[in-house]
Amino acid sequence: QVQLVESGGGSVQPGGSLRLSCAASGSIVGVNRMGWYRRAPGKPRESVAIIDHAGSANYGNPVKGRFTISRDNFKNTVYLDMTDLKPEDTAVYYCNADVRTTANPWQNYWGPGTQVTVSS
């Protein structure tokens, strides 16, 4: 059983900052790729940032230069540091990870999502 628990969502004014966290728990053997996705009202899901086990990151164009993804492999946790937030960043942010457990091979998992609202 794998669970991804997100935290750090909230409401912030344009130009503000926020840090999201997501911790994977369970009988985990390994966690490979981790990432953040978001879905804004009326829009499809989009990739925000992805990071591999070694720390190599890839960002979606709308957040380049403003967001930073990082991870702590000892804690099986991924972070998203968001700065210069804009109203268009308003969305539900979802954590995603490829996880191997003692009972199951590599599988992809999603967190329940956390709301980020940027407004004045």
Side-chain angles (χ1 to χ4, degrees), residues 1-118:
Q1 300 293 321
V2 173
Q3 184 177 21
L4 301 182
V5 181
E6 297 139 325
S7 62
S11 183
V12 66
Q13 294 184 335
S17 301
L18 211 58
R19 188 185 214 202
L20 304 183
S21 300
C22 173
S25 62
S27 300
I28 297 174
V29 173
V31 180
N32 194 10
R33 182 201 60 81
M34 304 187 82
W36 292 94
Y37 296 75
R38 69 185 184 186
R39 177 168 284 170
K43 296 183 178 180
R45 184 193 69 197
E46 66 176 356
S47 175
V48 176
I50 306 295
I51 186 169
D52 68 14
H53 189 270
S56 180
N58 182 261
Y59 298 91
N61 286 330
V63 309
K64 287 182 178 178
R66 299 188 297 118
F67 291 10
T68 301
I69 188 170
S70 61
R71 64 189 290 165
D72 185 333
N73 291 332
F74 291 101
K75 297 180 179 179
N76 292 323
T77 299
V78 63
Y79 306 93
L80 185 67
D81 290 293
M82 304 181 291
T83 63
D84 191 25
L85 283 161
K86 305 176 184 297
E88 52 263 42
D89 294 319
T90 296
V92 177
Y93 284 70
Y94 299 92
C95 179
N96 179 265
D98 292 328
V99 182
R100 183 191 173 196
T101 69
T102 55
N104 300 106
W106 291 101
Q107 290 184 292
N108 187 255
Y109 299 88
W110 289 92
T114 184
Q115 178 70 47
V116 172
T117 302
V118 185

